Amino acid sequence: MLIVTVLGLLLVAWFIGQPWLTERRRRRWRSQPFPPAWRAILKKRVPYLRALPVDLQLQLKQHIQVFVAEKAFIGCGGLVITDEIRVTIAAQACLLILNRPRTDYYPELRQVLVYPGAFIVDKVHTDETGVLQDHQRQVLSGESWSQGQVILSWQDAVEGAAIPDDANNVVIHEFAHQLDQETGLANGAPNLPGPERYRRWSQVMHEAFDELQEQADRGEASLFDHYGATNPAEFFAVASETFFERPQALAEHHPTLYHELCDFYRVNPLSW
């Protein structure tokens, strides 16, 4: 009985102490000077960041240091992982977690798999009756899994960062999915504070999603990539790309949606 009690107390102590130890370790990483070589990488690969206010630039660099220290980067298809790859991807991923009083740095994410370019995956197709059909081969630039990994094309990650105003950024897209998946399967509703906020989010998102679906059906041009009409999860990811890269157009055409995303991401890109 005594052994069981002691083991129980040790387990409780571990659960209580682990978050404290994790945050202590992160504070140490954030307090370290940002490497000059990494600064050069940001200047070369992520020109978007120069538009951020100085306080957000500092905060972003601190987040990059934690992200690179905690997440494993794995090269695929012969790609050798370098600091340039780590820092370029981490910078874009950490844009999505700025200004949070406490961030857990994508807690479910364990590793980032990076291919040199677009990669091929085999997916099982389910027909409208629910019957599994043959595998379908798809060429992708990115994919987010709820089982702890993001897969990216390095070429697309570079191009997404180099052109900061086309609303086409695979890293932002896939890490928006990661935020969505923190509540389970991606459904377009990330973690929000309370029922009222979920009701507001659902109404705003579905209005814009329904409009995009109608535009896609008619073949009309839209502010959003038509891929966002696939389902609510893809719409949230596509809307996130637009929010960070075309904020003025989003604020003009969908002001309610823009303000909803401002509240969620805790930043206002128009002010940059």
Side-chain angles (χ1 to χ4, degrees):
M1 186 66 180
L2 179 61
I3 294 175
V4 173
T5 302
V6 171
L7 289 175
L9 290 173
L10 289 173
L11 186 62
V12 170
W14 184 86
F15 275 115
I16 293 174
Q18 190 64 25
W20 180 82
L21 291 172
T22 298
E23 183 53 34
R24 181 183 179 186
R25 186 170 63 246
R26 288 171 175 171
R27 282 200 304 269
R28 186 171 69 249
W29 286 327
R30 288 192 292 258
S31 67
Q32 293 175 359
F34 197 75
W38 290 15
R39 191 173 292 111
I41 291 169
L42 293 181
K43 184 176 181 180
K44 173 186 176 184
R45 290 298 191 190
V46 199
Y48 178 95
L49 303 185
R50 291 198 291 269
L52 268 65
V54 173
D55 61 323
L56 289 186
Q57 289 189 33
L58 175 59
Q59 186 185 150
L60 184 68
K61 289 173 182 176
Q62 292 173 339
H63 284 347
I64 291 169
Q65 289 172 286
V66 175
F67 189 99
V68 169
E70 288 191 345
K71 311 302 181 185
F73 283 76
I74 300 173
C76 304
L79 183 69
V80 177
I81 295 297
T82 63
D83 278 352
E84 183 173 22
I85 293 173
R86 294 185 184 93
V87 172
T88 300
I89 290 173
Q92 296 172 80
C94 291
L95 269 176
L96 281 62
I97 55 174
L98 290 170
N99 279 346
R100 298 190 175 201
R102 183 179 181 277
T103 178
D104 214 8
Y105 296 95
Y106 303 101
E108 302 303 319
L109 179 67
R110 293 178 290 102
Q111 56 192 24
V112 181
L113 280 62
V114 190
Y115 283 85
F119 51 93
I120 298 174
V121 298
D122 289 324
K123 292 199 172 184
V124 177
H125 171 64
T126 305
D127 65 19
E128 60 274 7
T129 66
V131 177
L132 296 179
Q133 303 295 328
D134 293 336
H135 285 75
Q136 290 185 336
R137 306 199 82 187
Q138 296 183 2
V139 179
L140 302 177
S141 60
E143 194 168 35
S144 174
W145 292 10
S146 56
Q147 295 90 350
Q149 58 188 22
V150 165
I151 310 172
L152 296 168
S153 154
W154 171 235
Q155 178 182 348
D156 288 280
V158 168
E159 291 175 357
I163 308 173
D165 58 358
D166 64 351
N168 185 8
N169 186 301
V170 68
V171 180
I172 290 176
H173 186 104
E174 300 307 333
F175 279 88
H177 281 320
Q178 278 291 304
L179 293 176
D180 194 356
Q181 289 163 335
E182 286 181 9
T183 58
L185 294 177
N187 61 5
N191 194 17
L192 298 168
E196 179 56 36
R197 185 69 186 283
Y198 273 109
R199 283 193 292 270
R200 192 178 78 194
W201 178 274
S202 178
Q203 179 181 351
V204 171
M205 284 290 177
H206 274 92
E207 285 178 0
F209 174 62
D210 290 344
E211 180 181 331
L212 177 59
Q213 283 193 311
E214 292 172 2
Q215 291 171 327
D217 288 341
R218 294 192 297 262
E220 294 179 359
S222 171
L223 175 62
F224 304 112
D225 189 312
H226 282 182
Y227 184 62
T230 306
N231 56 54
E234 294 301 344
F235 178 72
F236 168 56
V238 165
S240 296
E241 293 177 85
T242 308
F243 173 74
F244 282 101
E245 296 209 339
R246 298 194 65 193
Q248 184 167 354
L250 182 59
E252 290 174 358
H253 294 282
H254 298 276
T256 308
L257 174 58
Y258 180 78
H259 288 299
E260 195 67 28
L261 290 170
C262 280
D263 286 348
F264 175 70
Y265 283 118
R266 301 173 183 264
V267 293
N268 179 9
L270 274 178
S271 67
W272 304 343

